Amino acid sequence: MYILFEEHQYESHLVEKVLKDIYVLQDVNKKVSVQYVGYFYNPHLHDCVFILPKVLLTEQETLVGMEFPNGEQVSPEQVLTPEGQKKLSKEYRKFIYEFSVWIYRALSVFYKANPDSKVILYKHLPQAGRGKRHRANTYLDIVLSLINFNQENKDFVLFTIKNLHRGNNKINWTRTISHSQAFIQGDDAVYLNPVNKKRIINYEEELFVIFYSILNYLNSEYGFHTPINIQYDLITGKQFKQYLRGMGKMRLMQIKYKYFSDKALQLWDLCYAFFENSYRIAINTHTQEYILAKSFNIVFEAMIDELIGTPHNKIPKGLADQDDGKRVDHMYADLALTSADVQKNREVYYIGDSKYYKSGHPLTSESIYKQYTYARNVIQWNVDLFAADDTRFDDKEKAQRKADKEKFSDIHLQDNSLTEGYDVIPNFFISAFVYKDHRYNDGENNIKKHFDKGGKHCTKVSYQFPDRLFDRDTLFLSQYDVNFLYILYLYGRDKVNEKAQWKQHVRKIFRDEIRAVIENEFMIYAMKARLGVDGAQYLRQHFYDLNGRVFQPYGEERSMFFAYARPTRNMPETQGQYDELAKFFVIQPCNMGQDPLNVLKSDIEQELERPVTTPQWLTIHYLERDLNRGILIGYYKNKEHLQWILGNNDKGSLIYNVRLKLKSDEEVRDGAHTEGFYKKKNIQFVILYTDGVETTGEYRVFHVKDMAGRVTEERMRATGYPLEVNGNYTFFRFDEEVSIGRLDMNALLTNIKHKHIEEFKEYVAYEPLFCTAEEVLKHRREL
């Protein structure tokens, strides 16, 4: 066969005859390059021409991993003709033969999945027959001829086997009487060893066994789906490997002259040719037989997307096919980098671009710029999806956004409610390489990080502010190399389970590697507000200092944890910021993927064991300025309840719960009131007390920031509430603990309870009490 390489510049006189039926152009220097990958038969040469992908070439235009015994690098021109190929090693020639099958399989799988694609030029490949003979020494010819024989000669095989087994169980009485002894029982003669008509050696059946064993090997090794309709004990495993090493050719030669029909001789030819590639077989050939990819980069992109990404038709409109006309090669949703691996419900978009280069080809600045643009478009699409203001969209767009929002609610890139930080969007390039020994499968090393000539991992970071990780302008772009032969092998086999396992494996590698890159640039922490500190309120008050450095990645159904990041470079201002945070937050290093609950567990336990004390310095509120301000006097049951109030809840906020009565409630719960009742009371302070107040006189006062709406039983349990939950609730949310002066709690409680009984006819122990600032002032001793 003749071997060409995609895009290699050949002297026109070297390939003029080889490419006679392929439309090509030459440049002003009379150089010719072929823009195809694949196979075609050239009737003028009476041989096959195979065009290999350019990924098998180095940047120096030599064959990857191939050199002559004298150490000379091999150029494409030196292996163009069959005569030149004789100089190649036996191993490399074997690699080329097998490689041709994998290219055929990849192009066939792509053509089957994209029958309307104009990328593939296709006509029937060689068919086995008894026409003019030519030297067909390509593995591809032999494999396809074997498969075609099975498809076109099912009746011949079944008819032959039926005839072979006809009368097998019929006794040959002449031979039985003459060759075996009879026992007489009464008037009957009994023969214990009758002779039937079955032949001891059946060479035609042995040929069928060898044939179907070859087909079984091709199915398992290359992913063909050739049916095997005959139930023979096939040659498999180690025994078939012995046949590949020479035993098959030897056995076929031993039974060669046992066949007489044309079909049996043709099948023997094909089987022998499989074990001896250079044997002459008869093939009908036509000028227009070929399978060629005229844009193999599209096939390569499809291969990578099949094995890594999500089909574009399953990705929301505007993401992969973006509104500005750009099209992302590969995209999928996977576990967010900032989320703990135990949380499988938080995802981000991973954005990839495949680069079909020669081995070692560097990225271009244009490709890098485009990849950053892809990421920014994805961020903007997600921000628009969850934007509160949708007046800029028409009715059709609003309906589509609503559907997408429900479907992709787990992918929320911006924390709009608090920090306004952005989750990290992973970007990556994928290019191909070929091992010098041309191994197809190298286990974990089928995909690896790309390194530049200086040995540095090629990860680029784009940012507006160097110390803000959680910023929409901070983007990471990594590059990975995949073993082209393994990708070809996996795609060509088209095995669903194998592809799914590889996809899962590769996605984990991308996630772990980009995390490692980020952790090399930034120190990541988990932090939780200390008891008595409203973490959300603190972050709002210091928003401009912490914007882009703090993110809330862990969702509402877990305790309130924030991720804080600062550069690994020595920056005094970030050290001061960290020291200030440590006063108000429990904070510990927490790598991406770790569960912050485990990281902070011991610190939180220590925090909860500390005495719950009132801060030394409290904001003083003068009740005299507005005597009509409402005050709620509430009860907390124990230390755990107080800790929950002071921030040991899923929001890390200062809150107090009261029972909520709905209009639809039939059962009246003690101490429950409607939302309208609470609002009418205009509550701006909450005074909390517990058992023993009569003796200690202790209490705590909090300033009310706002009141939540309805809180269901399910939501209440999710906050980590330490007491029994029953019915609906609402929260009074505090912004800080304050002072309204020294109060006589015993006298205040006694008077307000009497007032409560007058208003509600009874008082149930521990239910909330309501009064005004004017009433509280009557029981204030001093400020």
Side-chain angles (χ1 to χ4, degrees):
M1 73 178 170
Y2 287 77
I3 297 176
L4 296 170
F5 287 87
E6 177 195 16
E7 294 187 7
H8 179 70
Q9 295 283 315
Y10 291 93
E11 296 289 343
S12 60
H13 69 275
L14 293 176
V15 295
E16 182 177 2
K17 191 174 181 180
V18 178
L19 298 174
K20 187 170 183 180
D21 295 313
I22 300 292
Y23 180 74
V24 294
L25 296 174
Q26 63 182 20
D27 61 20
V28 292
N29 295 319
K30 302 215 178 209
K31 297 269 190 177
V32 171
S33 65
V34 186
Q35 304 299 318
Y36 301 108
V37 168
Y39 161 94
F40 70 94
Y41 175 73
N42 189 323
H44 307 290
L45 300 174
H46 301 288
D47 207 341
C48 306
V49 180
F50 195 71
I51 307 171
L52 302 181
K54 63 184 179 183
V55 72
L56 294 181
L57 293 180
T58 67
E59 282 290 290
Q60 293 73 38
E61 296 293 317
T62 59
L63 277 62
V64 174
M66 187 60 214
E67 60 183 29
F68 290 119
N70 62 3
E72 178 189 354
Q73 296 296 312
V74 181
S75 69
E77 287 81 2
Q78 291 172 297
V79 297
L80 174 62
T81 64
E83 291 75 20
Q85 294 160 29
K86 291 178 182 178
K87 301 177 184 178
L88 298 174
S89 65
K90 180 180 177 181
E91 290 77 14
Y92 194 81
R93 290 199 301 273
K94 179 177 182 291
F95 160 69
I96 293 296
Y97 294 150
E98 294 182 351
F99 185 74
S100 64
V101 176
W102 289 118
I103 285 292
Y104 165 75
R105 283 295 305 153
L107 297 185
S108 298
V109 171
F110 179 85
Y111 182 74
K112 182 180 178 181
N114 306 275
D116 299 326
S117 174
K118 297 180 180 179
V119 173
I120 300 295
L121 306 176
Y122 175 78
K123 271 200 174 181
H124 291 296
L125 287 161
Q127 304 287 321
R130 302 299 293 174
K132 182 179 178 182
R133 302 168 73 88
H134 72 272
R135 189 174 184 80
N137 58 353
T138 65
Y139 201 40
L140 180 62
D141 285 336
I142 300 164
V143 168
L144 298 180
S145 297
L146 283 163
I147 292 172
N148 283 331
F149 184 91
N150 184 56
Q151 293 173 343
E152 297 173 1
N153 296 281
K154 295 177 182 177
D155 293 340
F156 160 72
V157 175
L158 292 173
F159 179 77
T160 302
I161 293 175
K162 184 177 180 181
N163 283 339
L164 290 174
H165 289 269
R166 182 177 295 163
N168 275 357
N169 296 320
K170 187 176 181 180
I171 297 175
N172 187 331
W173 287 110
T174 303
R175 297 185 66 194
T176 300
I177 293 170
S178 62
H179 289 86
S180 60
Q181 185 178 1
F183 295 89
I184 304 300
Q185 279 189 332
D187 296 332
D188 299 323
V190 179
Y191 290 90
L192 297 179
N193 298 302
V195 180
N196 61 25
K197 292 185 177 182
K198 184 175 182 180
R199 289 174 287 182
I200 301 302
I201 300 176
N202 191 320
Y203 294 107
E204 283 194 283
E205 281 201 290
E206 184 174 2
L207 180 62
F208 289 149
V209 169
I210 293 174
F211 171 58
Y212 285 113
S213 296
I214 293 173
L215 293 182
N216 179 66
Y217 169 79
L218 295 176
N219 285 346
S220 61
E221 184 68 14
Y222 298 112
F224 289 102
H225 302 286
T226 305
I228 300 176
N229 301 316
I230 307 302
Q231 300 301 314
Y232 281 124
D233 290 332
L234 301 180
I235 306 167
T236 59
K238 294 182 179 179
Q239 187 181 5
F240 191 81
K241 289 182 179 179
Q242 293 295 328
Y243 270 66
L244 290 174
R245 295 188 183 108
M247 184 176 174
K249 187 175 75 168
M250 180 182 70
R251 184 57 189 154
L252 285 168
M253 287 301 296
Q254 290 172 346
I255 63 176
K256 177 178 181 181
Y257 299 105
K258 308 298 181 181
Y259 310 106
F260 302 98
S261 70
D262 287 345
K263 290 292 184 183
L265 290 172
Q266 182 186 0
L267 181 58
W268 188 94
D269 277 350
L270 291 171
C271 291
Y272 189 88
F274 178 79
F275 294 114
E276 177 53 61
N277 290 341
S278 62
Y279 187 75
R280 296 176 183 273
I281 63 173
I283 295 183
N284 292 326
T285 57
H286 303 279
T287 303
Q288 299 301 319
E289 292 181 341
Y290 49 79
I291 182 166
L292 295 167
K294 61 181 179 180
S295 298
F296 192 72
N297 63 302
I298 296 178
V299 179
F300 179 72
E301 179 185 319
M303 291 164 59
I304 297 296
D305 202 48
E306 175 75 14
L307 302 175
I308 292 177
T310 297
H312 278 43
N313 59 6
K314 296 183 179 180
I315 297 175
K317 181 182 177 183
L319 272 181
D321 296 301
Q322 299 181 345
D323 293 339
D324 61 356
K326 294 181 175 62
R327 189 177 192 273
V328 180
D329 285 355
H330 318 293
M331 177 178 286
Y332 61 88
D334 199 13
L335 184 67
L337 300 178
T338 52
S339 179
D341 287 343
V342 295
Q343 272 194 291
K344 300 299 182 184
N345 62 329
R346 279 204 67 251
E347 296 181 328
V348 294
Y349 298 108
Y350 288 67
I351 306 168
D353 193 22
S354 53
K355 292 302 175 187
Y356 177 60
Y357 293 145
K358 294 177 182 177
S359 293
H361 192 287
L363 288 172
T364 64
S365 57
E366 179 186 359
S367 297
I368 296 171
Y369 181 82
K370 284 170 61 178
Q371 195 67 13
Y372 287 141
T373 303
Y374 294 153
R376 291 186 176 97
N377 286 346
V378 168
I379 293 172
Q380 189 58 53
W381 182 92
N382 190 263
V383 170
D384 289 343
L385 182 65
F386 292 95
D389 178 21
D390 60 359
T391 56
R392 50 189 156 145
F393 305 105
D394 59 30
D395 292 341
K396 184 178 180 180
E397 290 173 325
K398 288 178 183 178
Q400 184 63 50
R401 287 176 68 248
K402 182 178 180 181
D404 287 340
K405 188 173 182 178
E406 294 175 356
K407 187 175 181 181
F408 302 99
S409 58
D410 291 335
I411 307 177
H412 198 167
L413 303 181
Q414 185 189 30
D415 182 6
N416 291 305
S417 62
L418 185 59
T419 66
E420 295 188 14
Y422 289 82
D423 216 334
V424 181
I425 300 293
N427 284 259
F428 56 88
F429 285 109
I430 295 180
S431 52
F433 75 97
V434 176
Y435 280 111
K436 291 184 177 181
D437 61 359
H438 305 107
R439 57 184 181 270
Y440 278 82
N441 193 345
D442 194 31
E444 296 292 324
N445 294 321
N446 284 319
I447 181 167
K448 54 187 182 181
K449 293 184 289 188
H450 182 88
F451 293 89
D452 59 20
K453 293 181 179 179
K456 184 179 180 181
H457 183 207
C458 292
T459 297
K460 302 182 182 301
V461 184
S462 174
Y463 54 80
Q464 181 179 4
F465 302 100
D467 57 341
R468 296 186 185 182
L469 172 62
F470 306 114
D471 187 84
R472 68 183 295 165
D473 290 321
T474 300
L475 300 172
F476 293 83
L477 180 54
S478 297
Q479 184 177 357
Y480 299 89
D481 293 332
V482 294
N483 183 355
F484 178 77
L485 299 184
Y486 183 74
I487 293 297
L488 191 69
Y489 162 86
L490 206 59
Y491 186 76
R493 282 170 64 88
D494 201 23
K495 302 285 188 181
V496 175
N497 289 340
E498 288 182 353
K499 292 191 292 186
Q501 290 174 4
W502 165 255
K503 182 177 290 189
Q504 184 179 8
H505 168 68
V506 169
R507 290 184 174 185
K508 185 178 186 304
I509 286 178
F510 288 157
R511 186 168 66 248
D512 292 344
E513 290 291 348
I514 194 66
R515 278 174 171 169
V517 170
I518 292 172
E519 288 165 4
N520 185 57
E521 296 286 333
F522 289 89
M523 295 184 65
I524 314 296
Y525 301 86
M527 63 184 196
K528 186 181 188 299
R530 296 186 183 277
L531 284 182
V533 176
D534 190 322
Q537 181 67 15
Y538 181 93
L539 293 178
R540 291 190 186 97
Q541 291 174 347
H542 299 82
F543 174 80
Y544 290 105
D545 295 329
L546 298 173
N547 181 234
R549 301 179 181 90
V550 177
F551 187 64
Q552 181 194 351
Y554 302 112
E556 290 187 354
E557 295 183 1
R558 290 165 64 82
S559 295
M560 182 63 127
F561 290 100
F562 304 97
Y564 171 70
R566 58 173 172 158
T568 53
R569 298 177 297 278
N570 184 19
M571 300 178 69
E573 61 273 21
T574 60
Q575 180 63 48
Q577 188 179 79
Y578 173 85
D579 294 339
E580 184 68 16
L581 280 174
K583 297 177 183 177
F584 300 93
F585 293 85
V586 176
I587 183 167
Q588 287 292 340
C590 179
N591 289 336
M592 289 184 171
Q594 285 187 280
D595 187 349
L597 276 173
N598 295 331
V599 172
L600 294 179
K601 183 178 179 180
S602 61
D603 293 84
I604 293 174
E605 289 175 351
Q606 292 179 21
E607 182 72 13
L608 295 178
E609 288 300 319
R610 293 177 180 176
V612 182
T613 59
T614 300
Q616 182 178 2
W617 304 107
L618 296 176
T619 303
I620 297 176
H621 285 264
Y622 295 91
L623 299 182
E624 293 88 346
R625 293 177 179 175
D626 185 355
L627 298 177
N628 293 319
R629 283 184 288 188
I631 296 177
L632 181 150
I633 303 175
Y635 167 84
Y636 64 90
K637 186 172 184 179
N638 50 34
K639 178 182 177 182
E640 287 74 23
H641 190 190
L642 179 59
Q643 290 174 338
W644 180 86
I645 294 170
L646 294 177
N648 189 31
N649 52 68
D650 71 328
K651 284 291 188 180
S653 299
L654 306 179
I655 53 177
Y656 183 71
N657 64 301
V658 291
R659 295 180 176 183
L660 183 65
K661 176 182 177 182
L662 302 179
K663 293 181 179 179
S664 58
D665 290 344
E666 296 181 1
E667 180 181 355
V668 178
R669 297 161 63 211
D670 293 335
H673 301 282
T674 65
E675 187 175 354
F677 173 87
Y678 290 123
K679 289 182 177 180
K680 188 176 180 180
K681 290 294 184 179
N682 187 28
I683 296 170
Q684 297 188 28
F685 297 94
V686 172
I687 302 174
L688 296 180
Y689 70 95
T690 190
D691 295 332
V693 64
E694 298 86 358
T695 303
T696 63
E698 293 182 356
Y699 62 92
R700 307 181 75 142
V701 182
F702 297 88
H703 182 256
V704 174
K705 177 173 57 178
D706 58 22
M707 187 179 77
R710 177 193 174 194
V711 179
T712 64
E713 282 190 38
E714 181 182 10
R715 177 71 189 97
M716 189 67 182
R717 291 190 180 95
T719 67
Y721 190 60
L723 306 180
E724 181 183 355
V725 177
N726 179 25
N728 298 293
Y729 295 82
T730 189
F731 293 152
F732 287 100
R733 291 186 285 225
F734 310 144
D735 50 20
E736 61 179 341
E737 187 171 355
V738 299
S739 172
I740 55 174
R742 185 69 179 165
L743 304 179
D744 184 345
M745 280 299 295
N746 285 332
L748 177 61
L749 284 172
T750 300
N751 288 342
I752 301 304
K753 285 177 183 178
H754 284 304
K755 176 190 172 186
H756 183 90
I757 294 173
E758 292 177 0
E759 182 176 357
F760 297 103
K761 308 303 181 186
E762 65 175 336
Y763 169 71
V764 179
Y766 309 127
E767 70 174 299
L769 303 169
F770 305 92
C771 60
T772 64
E774 183 177 11
E775 292 171 304
V776 170
L777 283 174
K778 296 176 182 178
H779 303 279
R780 191 177 72 184
R781 298 174 180 174
E782 58 185 26
L783 278 176

